[in-house]
PDB file of all heavy atoms in Angstrom:
ATOM      1  N   ASN A   1       0.826  -1.227  -0.001  1.00 87.00           N
ATOM      2  CA  ASN A   1       0.015  -0.027   0.008  1.00 87.00           C
ATOM      3  C   ASN A   1       0.876   1.249  -0.011  1.00 87.00           C
ATOM      4  O   ASN A   1       0.437   2.292  -0.483  1.00 87.00           O
ATOM      5  CB  ASN A   1      -0.950  -0.009   1.180  1.00 87.00           C
ATOM      6  CG  ASN A   1      -2.033  -1.011   1.067  1.00 87.00           C
ATOM      7  OD1 ASN A   1      -2.381  -1.439  -0.013  1.00 87.00           O
ATOM      8  ND2 ASN A   1      -2.655  -1.418   2.173  1.00 87.00           N
ATOM      9  N   ALA A   2       2.037   1.191   0.594  1.00 89.00           N
ATOM     10  CA  ALA A   2       2.951   2.323   0.605  1.00 89.00           C
ATOM     11  C   ALA A   2       3.367   2.699  -0.819  1.00 89.00           C
ATOM     12  O   ALA A   2       3.653   3.845  -1.128  1.00 89.00           O
ATOM     13  CB  ALA A   2       4.042   2.137   1.476  1.00 89.00           C
ATOM     14  N   LYS A   3       3.540   1.708  -1.615  1.00 92.00           N
ATOM     15  CA  LYS A   3       4.030   1.915  -3.010  1.00 92.00           C
ATOM     16  C   LYS A   3       2.890   1.841  -4.070  1.00 92.00           C
ATOM     17  O   LYS A   3       3.190   1.970  -5.260  1.00 92.00           O
ATOM     18  CB  LYS A   3       5.120   0.809  -3.331  1.00 92.00           C
ATOM     19  CG  LYS A   3       6.341   0.925  -2.529  1.00 92.00           C
ATOM     20  CD  LYS A   3       7.310  -0.148  -2.880  1.00 92.00           C
ATOM     21  CE  LYS A   3       8.647  -0.020  -2.080  1.00 92.00           C
ATOM     22  NZ  LYS A   3       9.604  -1.091  -2.492  1.00 92.00           N
ATOM     23  N   ASN A   4       1.720   1.627  -3.613  1.00 93.00           N
ATOM     24  CA  ASN A   4       0.523   1.518  -4.526  1.00 93.00           C
ATOM     25  C   ASN A   4       0.706   0.499  -5.583  1.00 93.00           C
ATOM     26  O   ASN A   4       0.481   0.729  -6.823  1.00 93.00           O
ATOM     27  CB  ASN A   4       0.257   2.872  -5.152  1.00 93.00           C
ATOM     28  CG  ASN A   4      -0.386   3.883  -4.209  1.00 93.00           C
ATOM     29  OD1 ASN A   4      -0.492   3.616  -3.027  1.00 93.00           O
ATOM     30  ND2 ASN A   4      -0.863   4.984  -4.780  1.00 93.00           N
ATOM     31  N   THR A   5       1.166  -0.690  -5.187  1.00 95.00           N
ATOM     32  CA  THR A   5       1.362  -1.734  -6.122  1.00 95.00           C
ATOM     33  C   THR A   5       0.764  -3.059  -5.633  1.00 95.00           C
ATOM     34  O   THR A   5       0.624  -3.266  -4.442  1.00 95.00           O
ATOM     35  CB  THR A   5       2.871  -2.030  -6.406  1.00 95.00           C
ATOM     36  OG1 THR A   5       3.535  -2.339  -5.168  1.00 95.00           O
ATOM     37  CG2 THR A   5       3.504  -0.787  -7.017  1.00 95.00           C
ATOM     38  N   VAL A   6       0.381  -3.906  -6.583  1.00 96.00           N
ATOM     39  CA  VAL A   6      -0.052  -5.245  -6.251  1.00 96.00           C
ATOM     40  C   VAL A   6       0.679  -6.135  -7.231  1.00 96.00           C
ATOM     41  O   VAL A   6       0.978  -5.855  -8.367  1.00 96.00           O
ATOM     42  CB  VAL A   6      -1.571  -5.397  -6.450  1.00 96.00           C
ATOM     43  CG1 VAL A   6      -2.006  -5.069  -7.910  1.00 96.00           C
ATOM     44  CG2 VAL A   6      -2.052  -6.738  -6.045  1.00 96.00           C
ATOM     45  N   ALA A   7       1.031  -7.312  -6.734  1.00 98.00           N
ATOM     46  CA  ALA A   7       1.836  -8.252  -7.518  1.00 98.00           C
ATOM     47  C   ALA A   7       1.235  -9.652  -7.488  1.00 98.00           C
ATOM     48  O   ALA A   7       0.433 -10.002  -6.631  1.00 98.00           O
ATOM     49  CB  ALA A   7       3.216  -8.335  -6.941  1.00 98.00           C
ATOM     50  N   LEU A   8       1.515 -10.410  -8.521  1.00 98.00           N
ATOM     51  CA  LEU A   8       1.055 -11.767  -8.614  1.00 98.00           C
ATOM     52  C   LEU A   8       2.281 -12.599  -8.979  1.00 98.00           C
ATOM     53  O   LEU A   8       2.806 -12.520 -10.057  1.00 98.00           O
ATOM     54  CB  LEU A   8      -0.023 -11.964  -9.726  1.00 98.00           C
ATOM     55  CG  LEU A   8      -0.561 -13.326  -9.772  1.00 98.00           C
ATOM     56  CD1 LEU A   8      -1.461 -13.716  -8.538  1.00 98.00           C
ATOM     57  CD2 LEU A   8      -1.465 -13.473 -11.062  1.00 98.00           C
ATOM     58  N   GLN A   9       2.710 -13.381  -7.972  1.00 98.00           N
ATOM     59  CA  GLN A   9       3.874 -14.254  -8.174  1.00 98.00           C
ATOM     60  C   GLN A   9       3.314 -15.563  -8.644  1.00 98.00           C
ATOM     61  O   GLN A   9       2.461 -16.224  -8.027  1.00 98.00           O
ATOM     62  CB  GLN A   9       4.612 -14.478  -6.852  1.00 98.00           C
ATOM     63  CG  GLN A   9       5.793 -15.391  -6.986  1.00 98.00           C
ATOM     64  CD  GLN A   9       6.901 -14.978  -7.881  1.00 98.00           C
ATOM     65  OE1 GLN A   9       7.269 -13.810  -7.797  1.00 98.00           O
ATOM     66  NE2 GLN A   9       7.395 -15.852  -8.724  1.00 98.00           N
ATOM     67  N   MET A  10       3.748 -16.016  -9.790  1.00 98.00           N
ATOM     68  CA  MET A  10       3.223 -17.250 -10.438  1.00 98.00           C
ATOM     69  C   MET A  10       4.368 -18.213 -10.560  1.00 98.00           C
ATOM     70  O   MET A  10       5.367 -18.002 -11.263  1.00 98.00           O
ATOM     71  CB  MET A  10       2.638 -16.872 -11.817  1.00 98.00           C
ATOM     72  CG  MET A  10       1.550 -15.843 -11.816  1.00 98.00           C
ATOM     73  SD  MET A  10       0.796 -15.592 -13.454  1.00 98.00           S
ATOM     74  CE  MET A  10       2.258 -14.942 -14.300  1.00 98.00           C
ATOM     75  N   ASN A  11       4.243 -19.333  -9.884  1.00 98.00           N
ATOM     76  CA  ASN A  11       5.225 -20.346  -9.835  1.00 98.00           C
ATOM     77  C   ASN A  11       4.594 -21.642 -10.495  1.00 98.00           C
ATOM     78  O   ASN A  11       3.376 -21.832 -10.557  1.00 98.00           O
ATOM     79  CB  ASN A  11       5.713 -20.709  -8.467  1.00 98.00           C
ATOM     80  CG  ASN A  11       6.396 -19.466  -7.803  1.00 98.00           C
ATOM     81  OD1 ASN A  11       7.068 -18.697  -8.440  1.00 98.00           O
ATOM     82  ND2 ASN A  11       6.227 -19.416  -6.483  1.00 98.00           N
ATOM     83  N   SER A  12       5.477 -22.569 -10.872  1.00 98.00           N
ATOM     84  CA  SER A  12       5.073 -23.811 -11.426  1.00 98.00           C
ATOM     85  C   SER A  12       3.977 -23.691 -12.494  1.00 98.00           C
ATOM     86  O   SER A  12       2.940 -24.300 -12.581  1.00 98.00           O
ATOM     87  CB  SER A  12       4.467 -24.787 -10.339  1.00 98.00           C
ATOM     88  OG  SER A  12       5.421 -24.996  -9.320  1.00 98.00           O
ATOM     89  N   LEU A  13       4.324 -22.766 -13.402  1.00 98.00           N
ATOM     90  CA  LEU A  13       3.419 -22.408 -14.489  1.00 98.00           C
ATOM     91  C   LEU A  13       3.102 -23.566 -15.413  1.00 98.00           C
ATOM     92  O   LEU A  13       4.010 -24.370 -15.721  1.00 98.00           O
ATOM     93  CB  LEU A  13       3.881 -21.214 -15.229  1.00 98.00           C
ATOM     94  CG  LEU A  13       3.753 -19.908 -14.510  1.00 98.00           C
ATOM     95  CD1 LEU A  13       4.672 -18.862 -15.180  1.00 98.00           C
ATOM     96  CD2 LEU A  13       2.351 -19.474 -14.561  1.00 98.00           C
ATOM     97  N   LYS A  14       1.848 -23.649 -15.854  1.00 98.00           N
ATOM     98  CA  LYS A  14       1.441 -24.695 -16.729  1.00 98.00           C
ATOM     99  C   LYS A  14       0.950 -24.017 -18.050  1.00 98.00           C
ATOM    100  O   LYS A  14       0.580 -22.883 -18.041  1.00 98.00           O
ATOM    101  CB  LYS A  14       0.248 -25.449 -16.144  1.00 98.00           C
ATOM    102  CG  LYS A  14       0.547 -26.042 -14.786  1.00 98.00           C
ATOM    103  CD  LYS A  14      -0.714 -26.647 -14.168  1.00 98.00           C
ATOM    104  CE  LYS A  14      -0.508 -27.190 -12.780  1.00 98.00           C
ATOM    105  NZ  LYS A  14      -1.691 -27.839 -12.156  1.00 98.00           N
ATOM    106  N   PRO A  15       0.926 -24.805 -19.135  1.00 98.00           N
ATOM    107  CA  PRO A  15       0.379 -24.229 -20.350  1.00 98.00           C
ATOM    108  C   PRO A  15      -1.054 -23.672 -20.214  1.00 98.00           C
ATOM    109  O   PRO A  15      -1.395 -22.773 -20.891  1.00 98.00           O
ATOM    110  CB  PRO A  15       0.432 -25.464 -21.336  1.00 98.00           C
ATOM    111  CG  PRO A  15       1.598 -26.220 -20.861  1.00 98.00           C
ATOM    112  CD  PRO A  15       1.503 -26.122 -19.347  1.00 98.00           C
ATOM    113  N   GLU A  16      -1.837 -24.274 -19.329  1.00 98.00           N
ATOM    114  CA  GLU A  16      -3.162 -23.896 -19.098  1.00 98.00           C
ATOM    115  C   GLU A  16      -3.258 -22.521 -18.427  1.00 98.00           C
ATOM    116  O   GLU A  16      -4.351 -21.921 -18.399  1.00 98.00           O
ATOM    117  CB  GLU A  16      -3.915 -24.875 -18.168  1.00 98.00           C
ATOM    118  CG  GLU A  16      -4.138 -26.260 -18.813  1.00 98.00           C
ATOM    119  CD  GLU A  16      -2.837 -27.091 -18.875  1.00 98.00           C
ATOM    120  OE1 GLU A  16      -1.960 -26.977 -17.991  1.00 98.00           O
ATOM    121  OE2 GLU A  16      -2.736 -27.912 -19.823  1.00 98.00           O
ATOM    122  N   ASP A  17      -2.165 -21.979 -17.948  1.00 98.00           N
ATOM    123  CA  ASP A  17      -2.123 -20.641 -17.408  1.00 98.00           C
ATOM    124  C   ASP A  17      -2.024 -19.584 -18.471  1.00 98.00           C
ATOM    125  O   ASP A  17      -2.061 -18.385 -18.131  1.00 98.00           O
ATOM    126  CB  ASP A  17      -0.981 -20.554 -16.434  1.00 98.00           C
ATOM    127  CG  ASP A  17      -1.104 -21.399 -15.227  1.00 98.00           C
ATOM    128  OD1 ASP A  17      -2.265 -21.506 -14.667  1.00 98.00           O
ATOM    129  OD2 ASP A  17      -0.074 -22.012 -14.763  1.00 98.00           O
ATOM    130  N   THR A  18      -1.754 -19.966 -19.698  1.00 98.00           N
ATOM    131  CA  THR A  18      -1.606 -19.042 -20.774  1.00 98.00           C
ATOM    132  C   THR A  18      -2.870 -18.222 -20.907  1.00 98.00           C
ATOM    133  O   THR A  18      -3.993 -18.676 -21.129  1.00 98.00           O
ATOM    134  CB  THR A  18      -1.293 -19.759 -22.094  1.00 98.00           C
ATOM    135  OG1 THR A  18       0.002 -20.390 -21.970  1.00 98.00           O
ATOM    136  CG2 THR A  18      -1.279 -18.777 -23.240  1.00 98.00           C
ATOM    137  N   ALA A  19      -2.723 -16.895 -20.908  1.00 98.00           N
ATOM    138  CA  ALA A  19      -3.858 -15.970 -20.958  1.00 98.00           C
ATOM    139  C   ALA A  19      -3.335 -14.540 -20.849  1.00 98.00           C
ATOM    140  O   ALA A  19      -2.149 -14.335 -20.563  1.00 98.00           O
ATOM    141  CB  ALA A  19      -4.847 -16.214 -19.810  1.00 98.00           C
ATOM    142  N   VAL A  20      -4.213 -13.631 -21.093  1.00 98.00           N
ATOM    143  CA  VAL A  20      -3.976 -12.226 -20.779  1.00 98.00           C
ATOM    144  C   VAL A  20      -4.409 -11.981 -19.373  1.00 98.00           C
ATOM    145  O   VAL A  20      -5.503 -12.298 -18.976  1.00 98.00           O
ATOM    146  CB  VAL A  20      -4.718 -11.281 -21.760  1.00 98.00           C
ATOM    147  CG1 VAL A  20      -4.490  -9.828 -21.310  1.00 98.00           C
ATOM    148  CG2 VAL A  20      -4.265 -11.472 -23.175  1.00 98.00           C
ATOM    149  N   TYR A  21      -3.487 -11.469 -18.591  1.00 98.00           N
ATOM    150  CA  TYR A  21      -3.775 -11.231 -17.149  1.00 98.00           C
ATOM    151  C   TYR A  21      -4.121  -9.815 -16.920  1.00 98.00           C
ATOM    152  O   TYR A  21      -3.364  -8.927 -17.397  1.00 98.00           O
ATOM    153  CB  TYR A  21      -2.576 -11.690 -16.277  1.00 98.00           C
ATOM    154  CG  TYR A  21      -2.516 -13.168 -16.089  1.00 98.00           C
ATOM    155  CD1 TYR A  21      -2.180 -14.012 -17.240  1.00 98.00           C
ATOM    156  CD2 TYR A  21      -2.812 -13.825 -14.942  1.00 98.00           C
ATOM    157  CE1 TYR A  21      -2.104 -15.389 -17.137  1.00 98.00           C
ATOM    158  CE2 TYR A  21      -2.708 -15.155 -14.830  1.00 98.00           C
ATOM    159  CZ  TYR A  21      -2.399 -15.939 -15.886  1.00 98.00           C
ATOM    160  OH  TYR A  21      -2.360 -17.297 -15.776  1.00 98.00           O
ATOM    161  N   TYR A  22      -5.142  -9.521 -16.147  1.00 98.00           N
ATOM    162  CA  TYR A  22      -5.626  -8.171 -15.894  1.00 98.00           C
ATOM    163  C   TYR A  22      -5.585  -7.904 -14.399  1.00 98.00           C
ATOM    164  O   TYR A  22      -5.995  -8.666 -13.623  1.00 98.00           O
ATOM    165  CB  TYR A  22      -7.038  -7.998 -16.395  1.00 98.00           C
ATOM    166  CG  TYR A  22      -7.258  -8.131 -17.871  1.00 98.00           C
ATOM    167  CD1 TYR A  22      -7.484  -9.379 -18.453  1.00 98.00           C
ATOM    168  CD2 TYR A  22      -7.115  -7.078 -18.759  1.00 98.00           C
ATOM    169  CE1 TYR A  22      -7.642  -9.535 -19.835  1.00 98.00           C
ATOM    170  CE2 TYR A  22      -7.246  -7.143 -20.108  1.00 98.00           C
ATOM    171  CZ  TYR A  22      -7.544  -8.412 -20.684  1.00 98.00           C
ATOM    172  OH  TYR A  22      -7.707  -8.550 -22.010  1.00 98.00           O
ATOM    173  N   CYS A  23      -5.112  -6.750 -14.110  1.00 98.00           N
ATOM    174  CA  CYS A  23      -5.238  -6.176 -12.737  1.00 98.00           C
ATOM    175  C   CYS A  23      -6.482  -5.358 -12.597  1.00 98.00           C
ATOM    176  O   CYS A  23      -6.892  -4.702 -13.518  1.00 98.00           O
ATOM    177  CB  CYS A  23      -4.007  -5.292 -12.461  1.00 98.00           C
ATOM    178  SG  CYS A  23      -3.984  -4.475 -10.871  1.00 98.00           S
ATOM    179  N   ALA A  24      -7.208  -5.529 -11.490  1.00 97.00           N
ATOM    180  CA  ALA A  24      -8.463  -4.788 -11.308  1.00 97.00           C
ATOM    181  C   ALA A  24      -8.532  -4.250  -9.898  1.00 97.00           C
ATOM    182  O   ALA A  24      -7.953  -4.754  -8.907  1.00 97.00           O
ATOM    183  CB  ALA A  24      -9.595  -5.773 -11.541  1.00 97.00           C
ATOM    184  N   ALA A  25      -9.277  -3.118  -9.801  1.00 96.00           N
ATOM    185  CA  ALA A  25      -9.483  -2.494  -8.486  1.00 96.00           C
ATOM    186  C   ALA A  25     -10.970  -2.212  -8.333  1.00 96.00           C
ATOM    187  O   ALA A  25     -11.681  -1.781  -9.208  1.00 96.00           O
ATOM    188  CB  ALA A  25      -8.745  -1.163  -8.432  1.00 96.00           C
TER     189      ALA A  25
END
């Protein structure tokens, strides 16, 4: 919150994770 950022750490990625990823508020 101090930096006004949100992150998504993605590990063990699979082909099924392929997509356009969107951040939302």
Side-chain angles (χ1 to χ4, degrees):
N1 289 338
K3 296 181 178 180
N4 285 11
T5 59
V6 61
L8 184 69
Q9 178 66 45
M10 305 184 294
N11 299 325
S12 301
L13 284 162
K14 306 174 181 179
E16 294 75 31
D17 296 317
T18 296
V20 175
Y21 283 70
Y22 298 89
C23 176

